[in-house]
Amino acid sequence: KFLVVKLRNQSRRPRTLSLTGDWELVLGEWRHANLMHIVTETDPHSGALLARNAYGRECANRVVFVQVSELERRVSGSRAEFIGRNGSLASPAAMGRKRLSNRTGAGLDPCAAIQTRIELAEGQEREIVFIFGAAGNTDEAQHFIQQFGGTAGAWQALEAVWEHWKRTLGAVQVETPDAALDVLTNGWLVYQTLSCRLWGRSGYYQS
């Protein structure tokens, strides 16, 4: 998953800003049954936050990763630290501090939080990309981070998705006197059938 944030400094002075992404980790069927087994760590090569659940039935060998495109970054694997005691996501405690603690490990109420600080000159515009994904192992996670870690990675992935659906939905083309029917038949309906019914199994009887 890519989250692209575009910022433009429209003030008449330089600005220093921080951006923070936070994901709640489940890595299994139910959060309450898996949180005690989730272990987070900082990847020494990329600085990304990695998480795994060695006891998960479906994803025991998988590695979840969170990364941001900026070089300066801080992380936290503790949901209790990020939200704060009796806190909420509407106003997490971490937003009242200057930076995240870089605390990761086992035995935490797990989350995946990553933060970066940027400086914007007067009139300057920048894009910052947060990446959240899963891989089969640490090596594959590092490969994905290297491939998609920069700001160009998100746009390359989006173009690949466009090309995939253009090729997939273009396998059959219908031409009728009704242009609206053509749009539905050649694009939207085929997309819905594939993504929802066949791949997502979202029909009531398919669950």
Side-chain angles (χ1 to χ4, degrees):
K1 181 176 182 177
F2 298 90
L3 177 63
V4 180
V5 181
K6 182 181 288 188
L7 296 173
R8 179 187 294 111
N9 183 5
Q10 295 181 326
S11 67
R12 296 182 178 179
R13 61 186 177 88
R15 300 295 299 268
T16 300
L17 304 172
S18 65
L19 293 90
T20 306
D22 173 59
W23 289 263
E24 192 168 282
L25 299 173
V26 178
L27 301 184
E29 295 87 351
W30 301 286
R31 185 177 184 277
H32 68 272
N34 288 277
L35 62 87
M36 69 189 75
H37 303 305
I38 296 175
V39 179
T40 55
E41 63 177 316
T42 303
D43 179 43
H45 301 287
S46 64
L49 182 73
L50 306 179
R52 55 175 53 83
N53 176 7
Y55 297 95
R57 290 190 298 177
E58 298 295 330
C59 56
N61 297 319
R62 295 183 186 173
V63 176
V64 168
F65 59 91
V66 176
Q67 180 63 305
V68 67
S69 57
E70 300 298 302
L71 292 177
E72 182 181 344
R73 62 183 70 92
R74 304 275 296 186
V75 301
S76 175
S78 171
R79 181 174 176 267
E81 173 199 319
F82 185 84
I83 296 178
R85 185 174 182 179
N86 300 324
S88 71
L89 288 175
S91 181
M95 296 298 92
R97 295 191 294 267
K98 289 186 176 181
R99 59 183 62 88
L100 298 179
S101 67
N102 278 342
R103 184 184 181 198
T104 59
L108 303 174
D109 182 6
C111 77
I114 191 164
Q115 183 180 69
T116 187
R117 292 171 63 86
I118 65 167
E119 294 184 0
L120 286 174
E122 178 183 347
Q124 185 181 6
E125 181 178 285
R126 291 182 62 181
E127 283 187 353
I128 297 88
V129 181
F130 290 87
I131 306 169
F132 180 78
N137 52 53
T138 302
D139 290 340
E140 188 178 39
Q142 291 172 346
H143 170 73
F144 287 150
I145 291 168
Q146 185 176 11
Q147 182 178 0
F148 298 111
T151 54
W155 299 111
Q156 291 172 358
L158 184 58
E159 288 177 1
V161 170
W162 285 337
E163 183 60 33
H164 165 78
W165 282 112
K166 182 179 178 181
R167 184 174 61 254
T168 302
L169 301 181
V172 176
Q173 287 292 308
V174 175
E175 293 184 10
T176 72
D178 187 346
L181 180 61
D182 291 351
V183 171
L184 278 173
T185 307
N186 294 325
W188 184 243
L189 295 180
V190 182
Y191 170 79
Q192 285 290 92
T193 302
L194 284 173
S195 63
C196 293
R197 298 305 295 267
L198 298 182
W199 296 340
R201 302 289 184 183
S202 60
Y204 288 120
Y205 66 91
Q206 290 175 302
S207 299

